[in-house]
Tab-separated table of all heavy atoms in Angstrom:
chain	number	residue	atom	x	y	z
A	100	PRO	N	-3.649	-0.305	-18.149
A	100	PRO	CA	-4.763	0.675	-18.240
A	100	PRO	C	-4.517	1.889	-17.290
A	100	PRO	O	-4.816	3.033	-17.675
A	100	PRO	CB	-5.971	-0.127	-17.747
A	100	PRO	CG	-5.541	-1.478	-17.842
A	100	PRO	CD	-4.033	-1.635	-17.876
A	101	SER	N	-4.037	1.707	-16.096
A	101	SER	CA	-3.841	2.812	-15.196
A	101	SER	C	-2.893	3.831	-15.698
A	101	SER	O	-2.842	5.013	-15.183
A	101	SER	CB	-3.525	2.326	-13.788
A	101	SER	OG	-2.405	1.519	-13.870
A	102	TYR	N	-2.013	3.474	-16.585
A	102	TYR	CA	-0.976	4.415	-17.053
A	102	TYR	C	-1.674	5.644	-17.696
A	102	TYR	O	-1.411	6.811	-17.301
A	102	TYR	CB	-0.045	3.724	-18.063
A	102	TYR	CG	0.983	4.695	-18.698
A	102	TYR	CD1	1.906	5.333	-17.869
A	102	TYR	CD2	1.017	4.842	-20.097
A	102	TYR	CE1	2.899	6.151	-18.438
A	102	TYR	CE2	1.991	5.744	-20.589
A	102	TYR	CZ	2.931	6.389	-19.760
A	102	TYR	OH	3.855	7.188	-20.333
A	103	LYS	N	-2.593	5.362	-18.620
A	103	LYS	CA	-3.263	6.462	-19.356
A	103	LYS	C	-4.278	7.082	-18.434
A	103	LYS	O	-4.429	8.348	-18.331
A	103	LYS	CB	-3.927	5.979	-20.623
A	103	LYS	CG	-2.860	5.561	-21.637
A	103	LYS	CD	-3.174	6.137	-23.039
A	103	LYS	CE	-2.049	6.136	-23.952
A	103	LYS	NZ	-1.412	4.873	-24.173
A	104	ASP	N	-5.003	6.261	-17.627
A	104	ASP	CA	-6.094	6.765	-16.784
A	104	ASP	C	-5.519	7.794	-15.809
A	104	ASP	O	-6.032	8.896	-15.557
A	104	ASP	CB	-6.729	5.594	-15.915
A	104	ASP	CG	-7.554	4.729	-16.829
A	104	ASP	OD1	-7.694	5.020	-17.957
A	104	ASP	OD2	-8.002	3.657	-16.317
A	105	GLN	N	-4.454	7.400	-15.146
A	105	GLN	CA	-3.811	8.261	-14.049
A	105	GLN	C	-3.373	9.567	-14.697
A	105	GLN	O	-3.455	10.629	-14.083
A	105	GLN	CB	-2.678	7.539	-13.363
A	105	GLN	CG	-3.142	6.424	-12.505
A	105	GLN	CD	-3.178	6.837	-11.050
A	105	GLN	OE1	-3.911	7.752	-10.719
A	105	GLN	NE2	-2.387	6.153	-10.250
A	106	GLN	N	-2.766	9.439	-15.880
A	106	GLN	CA	-2.248	10.627	-16.504
A	106	GLN	C	-3.350	11.658	-16.671
A	106	GLN	O	-3.222	12.881	-16.659
A	106	GLN	CB	-1.505	10.354	-17.789
A	106	GLN	CG	-0.096	9.890	-17.564
A	106	GLN	CD	0.703	9.773	-18.838
A	106	GLN	OE1	0.211	9.473	-19.878
A	106	GLN	NE2	2.013	10.032	-18.746
A	107	LYS	N	-4.551	11.102	-17.054
A	107	LYS	CA	-5.733	11.857	-17.299
A	107	LYS	C	-6.275	12.407	-15.946
A	107	LYS	O	-6.546	13.655	-15.798
A	107	LYS	CB	-6.765	11.098	-18.021
A	107	LYS	CG	-7.465	11.879	-19.122
A	107	LYS	CD	-8.639	11.035	-19.799
A	107	LYS	CE	-8.131	9.906	-20.615
A	107	LYS	NZ	-9.113	8.950	-20.880
A	108	ASN	N	-6.401	11.546	-15.025
A	108	ASN	CA	-7.009	11.885	-13.767
A	108	ASN	C	-6.204	12.904	-12.906
A	108	ASN	O	-6.738	13.683	-12.168
A	108	ASN	CB	-7.247	10.603	-12.918
A	108	ASN	CG	-8.370	9.847	-13.480
A	108	ASN	OD1	-9.103	10.278	-14.318
A	108	ASN	ND2	-8.531	8.546	-13.088
A	109	LEU	N	-4.837	12.686	-12.985
A	109	LEU	CA	-3.937	13.580	-12.183
A	109	LEU	C	-3.341	14.646	-13.198
A	109	LEU	O	-2.103	14.769	-13.220
A	109	LEU	CB	-2.835	12.744	-11.520
A	109	LEU	CG	-3.360	11.624	-10.551
A	109	LEU	CD1	-2.178	10.852	-10.015
A	109	LEU	CD2	-4.145	12.239	-9.383
A	110	ALA	N	-4.176	15.292	-13.867
A	110	ALA	CA	-3.685	16.269	-14.894
A	110	ALA	C	-2.846	17.388	-14.309
A	110	ALA	O	-2.104	18.044	-15.038
A	110	ALA	CB	-4.934	16.826	-15.650
A	111	ASN	N	-3.009	17.658	-13.012
A	111	ASN	CA	-2.276	18.726	-12.406
A	111	ASN	C	-0.773	18.297	-12.085
A	111	ASN	O	0.022	19.107	-11.697
A	111	ASN	CB	-2.881	19.136	-11.086
A	111	ASN	CG	-3.071	17.978	-10.085
A	111	ASN	OD1	-3.130	16.867	-10.494
A	111	ASN	ND2	-3.142	18.319	-8.816
A	112	LYS	N	-0.513	16.987	-12.412
A	112	LYS	CA	0.858	16.493	-12.160
A	112	LYS	C	1.492	16.075	-13.493
A	112	LYS	O	0.779	15.471	-14.340
A	112	LYS	CB	0.856	15.313	-11.186
A	112	LYS	CG	0.607	15.730	-9.756
A	112	LYS	CD	0.656	14.575	-8.815
A	112	LYS	CE	0.301	15.116	-7.425
A	112	LYS	NZ	-0.094	14.058	-6.505
A	113	ASP	N	2.774	16.356	-13.666
A	113	ASP	CA	3.472	15.890	-14.860
A	113	ASP	C	3.832	14.485	-14.701
A	113	ASP	O	4.801	14.180	-13.898
A	113	ASP	CB	4.694	16.794	-15.130
A	113	ASP	CG	5.400	16.377	-16.378
A	113	ASP	OD1	4.977	15.435	-17.051
A	113	ASP	OD2	6.482	16.931	-16.645
A	114	LEU	N	3.197	13.552	-15.351
A	114	LEU	CA	3.469	12.153	-15.091
A	114	LEU	C	4.169	11.505	-16.349
A	114	LEU	O	3.984	10.305	-16.695
A	114	LEU	CB	2.214	11.390	-14.810
A	114	LEU	CG	1.524	11.708	-13.508
A	114	LEU	CD1	0.283	10.887	-13.257
A	114	LEU	CD2	2.441	11.611	-12.310
A	115	SER	N	4.918	12.355	-17.034
A	115	SER	CA	5.610	11.850	-18.264
A	115	SER	C	7.039	11.321	-17.839
A	115	SER	O	7.915	11.311	-18.644
A	115	SER	CB	5.728	12.944	-19.280
A	115	SER	OG	6.402	14.075	-18.735
A	116	ASN	N	7.145	10.952	-16.580
A	116	ASN	CA	8.486	10.562	-16.093
A	116	ASN	C	8.682	9.018	-16.295
A	116	ASN	O	7.748	8.253	-16.271
A	116	ASN	CB	8.710	10.966	-14.641
A	116	ASN	CG	7.528	10.663	-13.757
A	116	ASN	OD1	6.405	10.662	-14.195
A	116	ASN	ND2	7.838	10.233	-12.533
A	117	PHE	N	9.967	8.686	-16.348
A	117	PHE	CA	10.381	7.316	-16.548
A	117	PHE	C	9.840	6.432	-15.352
A	117	PHE	O	9.415	5.318	-15.576
A	117	PHE	CB	11.917	7.317	-16.525
A	117	PHE	CG	12.639	6.021	-16.453
A	117	PHE	CD1	12.446	5.120	-17.426
A	117	PHE	CD2	13.509	5.827	-15.413
A	117	PHE	CE1	13.161	3.894	-17.404
A	117	PHE	CE2	14.222	4.662	-15.405
A	117	PHE	CZ	14.011	3.652	-16.363
A	118	GLY	N	9.852	6.953	-14.086
A	118	GLY	CA	9.492	6.179	-12.968
A	118	GLY	C	7.956	5.802	-12.996
A	118	GLY	O	7.568	4.722	-12.624
A	119	PHE	N	7.159	6.698	-13.487
A	119	PHE	CA	5.721	6.486	-13.556
A	119	PHE	C	5.478	5.377	-14.610
A	119	PHE	O	4.642	4.513	-14.443
A	119	PHE	CB	4.999	7.764	-13.812
A	119	PHE	CG	3.519	7.570	-13.878
A	119	PHE	CD1	2.805	7.168	-12.689
A	119	PHE	CD2	2.759	7.697	-15.022
A	119	PHE	CE1	1.419	6.904	-12.720
A	119	PHE	CE2	1.417	7.395	-15.036
A	119	PHE	CZ	0.744	7.035	-13.885
A	120	LEU	N	6.106	5.554	-15.793
A	120	LEU	CA	5.864	4.535	-16.812
A	120	LEU	C	6.327	3.123	-16.278
A	120	LEU	O	5.720	2.044	-16.641
A	120	LEU	CB	6.698	4.884	-18.060
A	120	LEU	CG	6.716	3.866	-19.203
A	120	LEU	CD1	5.263	3.769	-19.831
A	120	LEU	CD2	7.721	4.237	-20.240
A	121	GLY	N	7.434	3.177	-15.498
A	121	GLY	CA	8.026	1.853	-15.119
A	121	GLY	C	7.504	1.335	-13.845
A	121	GLY	O	7.942	0.248	-13.389
A	122	TYR	N	6.467	1.910	-13.177
A	122	TYR	CA	6.071	1.444	-11.929
A	122	TYR	C	5.525	0.034	-11.965
A	122	TYR	O	5.761	-0.730	-10.961
A	122	TYR	CB	5.081	2.422	-11.197
A	122	TYR	CG	3.621	2.196	-11.518
A	122	TYR	CD1	2.890	1.283	-10.772
A	122	TYR	CD2	2.945	2.946	-12.498
A	122	TYR	CE1	1.551	1.051	-11.091
A	122	TYR	CE2	1.669	2.733	-12.751
A	122	TYR	CZ	1.002	1.770	-12.038
A	122	TYR	OH	-0.417	1.556	-12.322
A	123	PRO	N	4.941	-0.436	-13.016
A	123	PRO	CA	4.460	-1.920	-12.985
A	123	PRO	C	5.721	-2.810	-12.922
A	123	PRO	O	5.638	-3.912	-12.398
A	123	PRO	CB	3.863	-2.076	-14.358
A	123	PRO	CG	3.315	-0.724	-14.733
A	123	PRO	CD	4.462	0.203	-14.276
A	124	VAL	N	6.863	-2.401	-13.384
A	124	VAL	CA	8.082	-3.324	-13.245
A	124	VAL	C	8.490	-3.300	-11.796
A	124	VAL	O	8.899	-4.343	-11.234
A	124	VAL	CB	9.262	-2.760	-14.121
A	124	VAL	CG1	10.473	-3.646	-13.979
A	124	VAL	CG2	8.853	-2.672	-15.567
A	125	LEU	N	8.500	-2.156	-11.154
A	125	LEU	CA	8.804	-2.052	-9.694
A	125	LEU	C	7.800	-3.015	-8.949
A	125	LEU	O	8.204	-3.703	-8.003
A	125	LEU	CB	8.806	-0.642	-9.174
A	125	LEU	CG	9.123	-0.474	-7.752
A	125	LEU	CD1	10.553	-1.030	-7.386
A	125	LEU	CD2	9.085	1.034	-7.345
A	126	MET	N	6.537	-2.871	-9.351
A	126	MET	CA	5.511	-3.688	-8.656
A	126	MET	C	5.770	-5.198	-8.896
A	126	MET	O	5.676	-5.985	-7.913
A	126	MET	CB	4.142	-3.323	-9.249
A	126	MET	CG	3.010	-3.733	-8.377
A	126	MET	SD	1.523	-3.294	-9.163
A	126	MET	CE	1.189	-1.674	-8.563
A	127	ALA	N	6.177	-5.528	-10.140
A	127	ALA	CA	6.512	-6.947	-10.380
A	127	ALA	C	7.696	-7.363	-9.531
A	127	ALA	O	7.708	-8.497	-8.949
A	127	ALA	CB	6.863	-7.104	-11.828
A	128	SER	N	8.703	-6.445	-9.351
A	128	SER	CA	9.877	-6.751	-8.541
A	128	SER	C	9.451	-6.985	-7.067
A	128	SER	O	9.906	-7.906	-6.400
A	128	SER	CB	10.895	-5.710	-8.647
A	128	SER	OG	11.135	-5.357	-9.974
A	129	ASP	N	8.542	-6.065	-6.627
A	129	ASP	CA	8.107	-6.124	-5.232
A	129	ASP	C	7.480	-7.567	-4.934
A	129	ASP	O	7.575	-8.129	-3.895
A	129	ASP	CB	6.987	-5.152	-4.973
A	129	ASP	CG	7.458	-3.730	-5.143
A	129	ASP	OD1	8.682	-3.456	-4.945
A	129	ASP	OD2	6.653	-2.848	-5.445
A	130	ILE	N	6.799	-8.130	-5.944
A	130	ILE	CA	6.096	-9.349	-5.753
A	130	ILE	C	7.102	-10.498	-5.980
A	130	ILE	O	7.212	-11.408	-5.126
A	130	ILE	CB	4.974	-9.460	-6.797
A	130	ILE	CG1	3.842	-8.423	-6.545
A	130	ILE	CG2	4.323	-10.887	-6.787
A	130	ILE	CD1	2.878	-8.334	-7.643
A	131	LEU	N	7.816	-10.514	-7.130
A	131	LEU	CA	8.573	-11.654	-7.481
A	131	LEU	C	9.762	-11.923	-6.490
A	131	LEU	O	10.216	-13.022	-6.374
A	131	LEU	CB	9.048	-11.544	-8.894
A	131	LEU	CG	7.919	-11.490	-9.988
A	131	LEU	CD1	8.498	-11.170	-11.381
A	131	LEU	CD2	7.167	-12.814	-10.011
A	132	ILE	N	10.214	-10.923	-5.869
A	132	ILE	CA	11.436	-11.061	-5.046
A	132	ILE	C	11.185	-11.940	-3.886
A	132	ILE	O	12.050	-12.485	-3.244
A	132	ILE	CB	11.969	-9.652	-4.626
A	132	ILE	CG1	13.388	-9.766	-4.229
A	132	ILE	CG2	11.152	-9.067	-3.466
A	132	ILE	CD1	14.169	-8.516	-4.367
A	133	TYR	N	9.824	-12.163	-3.554
A	133	TYR	CA	9.550	-13.149	-2.454
A	133	TYR	C	9.094	-14.506	-2.981
A	133	TYR	O	8.697	-15.390	-2.222
A	133	TYR	CB	8.484	-12.514	-1.498
A	133	TYR	CG	9.065	-11.217	-0.922
A	133	TYR	CD1	8.748	-9.991	-1.326
A	133	TYR	CD2	10.087	-11.325	0.021
A	133	TYR	CE1	9.328	-8.874	-0.871
A	133	TYR	CE2	10.759	-10.207	0.512
A	133	TYR	CZ	10.353	-9.012	0.087
A	133	TYR	OH	11.034	-7.842	0.560
A	134	GLN	N	9.188	-14.685	-4.309
A	134	GLN	CA	8.876	-15.949	-4.998
A	134	GLN	C	7.549	-16.529	-4.411
A	134	GLN	O	7.499	-17.684	-3.991
A	134	GLN	CB	10.027	-16.973	-4.772
A	134	GLN	CG	11.289	-16.502	-5.423
A	134	GLN	CD	12.526	-17.386	-5.062
A	134	GLN	OE1	12.738	-17.710	-3.928
A	134	GLN	NE2	13.298	-17.715	-6.092
A	135	PRO	N	6.487	-15.679	-4.427
A	135	PRO	CA	5.258	-16.068	-3.796
A	135	PRO	C	4.416	-16.957	-4.639
A	135	PRO	O	4.528	-17.013	-5.878
A	135	PRO	CB	4.519	-14.756	-3.551
A	135	PRO	CG	4.899	-13.951	-4.762
A	135	PRO	CD	6.357	-14.364	-5.106
A	136	GLN	N	3.517	-17.686	-3.978
A	136	GLN	CA	2.542	-18.467	-4.688
A	136	GLN	C	1.322	-17.628	-5.032
A	136	GLN	O	0.760	-17.793	-6.144
A	136	GLN	CB	1.969	-19.604	-3.776
A	136	GLN	CG	2.894	-20.813	-3.600
A	136	GLN	CD	2.174	-21.832	-2.726
A	136	GLN	OE1	2.187	-21.633	-1.483
A	136	GLN	NE2	1.636	-22.780	-3.282
A	137	PHE	N	0.982	-16.689	-4.213
A	137	PHE	CA	-0.274	-15.923	-4.474
A	137	PHE	C	-0.024	-14.454	-4.194
A	137	PHE	O	0.792	-14.073	-3.347
A	137	PHE	CB	-1.331	-16.370	-3.486
A	137	PHE	CG	-1.812	-17.833	-3.714
A	137	PHE	CD1	-1.434	-18.729	-2.775
A	137	PHE	CD2	-2.522	-18.146	-4.841
A	137	PHE	CE1	-1.819	-20.141	-3.020
A	137	PHE	CE2	-2.919	-19.476	-4.995
A	137	PHE	CZ	-2.597	-20.449	-4.089
A	138	VAL	N	-0.855	-13.623	-4.865
A	138	VAL	CA	-0.934	-12.216	-4.595
A	138	VAL	C	-2.446	-11.932	-4.275
A	138	VAL	O	-3.215	-12.118	-5.167
A	138	VAL	CB	-0.464	-11.310	-5.755
A	138	VAL	CG1	-0.349	-9.880	-5.389
A	138	VAL	CG2	0.830	-11.798	-6.348
A	139	PRO	N	-2.665	-11.501	-3.058
A	139	PRO	CA	-4.143	-11.253	-2.794
A	139	PRO	C	-4.545	-9.851	-3.297
A	139	PRO	O	-4.010	-8.857	-2.911
A	139	PRO	CB	-4.068	-11.224	-1.220
A	139	PRO	CG	-2.738	-10.824	-0.814
A	139	PRO	CD	-1.862	-11.195	-1.906
A	140	VAL	N	-5.453	-9.876	-4.226
A	140	VAL	CA	-5.972	-8.608	-4.849
A	140	VAL	C	-7.471	-8.701	-5.054
A	140	VAL	O	-8.032	-9.831	-5.157
A	140	VAL	CB	-5.306	-8.362	-6.214
A	140	VAL	CG1	-3.857	-7.933	-6.058
A	140	VAL	CG2	-5.403	-9.544	-7.133
A	141	GLY	N	-8.017	-7.526	-5.156
A	141	GLY	CA	-9.404	-7.432	-5.591
A	141	GLY	C	-9.520	-7.543	-7.152
A	141	GLY	O	-8.517	-7.517	-7.809
A	142	ASN	N	-10.716	-7.626	-7.603
A	142	ASN	CA	-10.916	-7.753	-9.062
A	142	ASN	C	-10.265	-6.717	-9.934
A	142	ASN	O	-9.753	-7.020	-10.970
A	142	ASN	CB	-12.464	-7.645	-9.350
A	142	ASN	CG	-13.053	-8.986	-9.633
A	142	ASN	OD1	-12.390	-9.816	-10.217
A	142	ASN	ND2	-14.297	-9.224	-9.269
A	143	ASP	N	-10.226	-5.492	-9.400
A	143	ASP	CA	-9.681	-4.404	-10.216
A	143	ASP	C	-8.184	-4.418	-10.272
A	143	ASP	O	-7.532	-3.533	-11.064
A	143	ASP	CB	-10.244	-3.005	-9.657
A	143	ASP	CG	-9.873	-2.859	-8.156
A	143	ASP	OD1	-9.667	-3.906	-7.545
A	143	ASP	OD2	-9.803	-1.754	-7.690
A	144	GLN	N	-7.462	-5.305	-9.563
A	144	GLN	CA	-6.078	-5.340	-9.569
A	144	GLN	C	-5.423	-6.475	-10.384
A	144	GLN	O	-4.267	-6.621	-10.354
A	144	GLN	CB	-5.588	-5.417	-8.148
A	144	GLN	CG	-5.675	-4.106	-7.395
A	144	GLN	CD	-4.584	-3.165	-7.706
A	144	GLN	OE1	-3.395	-3.549	-7.855
A	144	GLN	NE2	-4.936	-1.909	-7.942
A	145	THR	N	-6.295	-7.342	-10.953
A	145	THR	CA	-5.766	-8.591	-11.484
A	145	THR	C	-4.837	-8.264	-12.715
A	145	THR	O	-3.916	-9.017	-12.995
A	145	THR	CB	-6.942	-9.501	-11.962
A	145	THR	OG1	-7.787	-8.757	-12.856
A	145	THR	CG2	-7.653	-10.074	-10.787
A	146	ALA	N	-5.091	-7.122	-13.430
A	146	ALA	CA	-4.254	-6.782	-14.550
A	146	ALA	C	-2.732	-6.624	-14.072
A	146	ALA	O	-1.866	-6.990	-14.926
A	146	ALA	CB	-4.743	-5.553	-15.218
A	147	HIS	N	-2.557	-6.075	-12.978
A	147	HIS	CA	-1.214	-5.879	-12.478
A	147	HIS	C	-0.494	-7.177	-12.260
A	147	HIS	O	0.611	-7.416	-12.555
A	147	HIS	CB	-1.144	-5.053	-11.258
A	147	HIS	CG	-1.323	-3.579	-11.497
A	147	HIS	ND1	-2.385	-2.845	-11.002
A	147	HIS	CD2	-0.593	-2.782	-12.261
A	147	HIS	CE1	-2.264	-1.591	-11.413
A	147	HIS	NE2	-1.140	-1.492	-12.151
A	148	VAL	N	-1.262	-8.184	-11.697
A	148	VAL	CA	-0.642	-9.446	-11.374
A	148	VAL	C	-0.376	-10.103	-12.683
A	148	VAL	O	0.674	-10.869	-12.888
A	148	VAL	CB	-1.586	-10.272	-10.501
A	148	VAL	CG1	-0.899	-11.668	-10.124
A	148	VAL	CG2	-1.855	-9.510	-9.188
Side-chain angles (χ1 to χ4, degrees):
S101 53
Y102 178 60
K103 293 226 159 60
D104 289 356
Q105 290 261 60
Q106 279 190 326
K107 221 184 292 163
N108 291 342
L109 303 176
N111 56 337
K112 288 182 182 165
D113 180 4
L114 296 182
S115 55
N116 48 326
F117 171 61
F119 182 67
L120 175 67
Y122 89 83
V124 180
L125 182 56
M126 198 181 270
S128 310
D129 298 333
I130 295 170
L131 296 173
I132 203 152
Y133 299 103
Q134 298 172 313
Q136 280 181 283
F137 297 109
V138 189
V140 288
N142 255 327
D143 55 337
Q144 283 282 319
T145 54
H147 280 121
V148 182

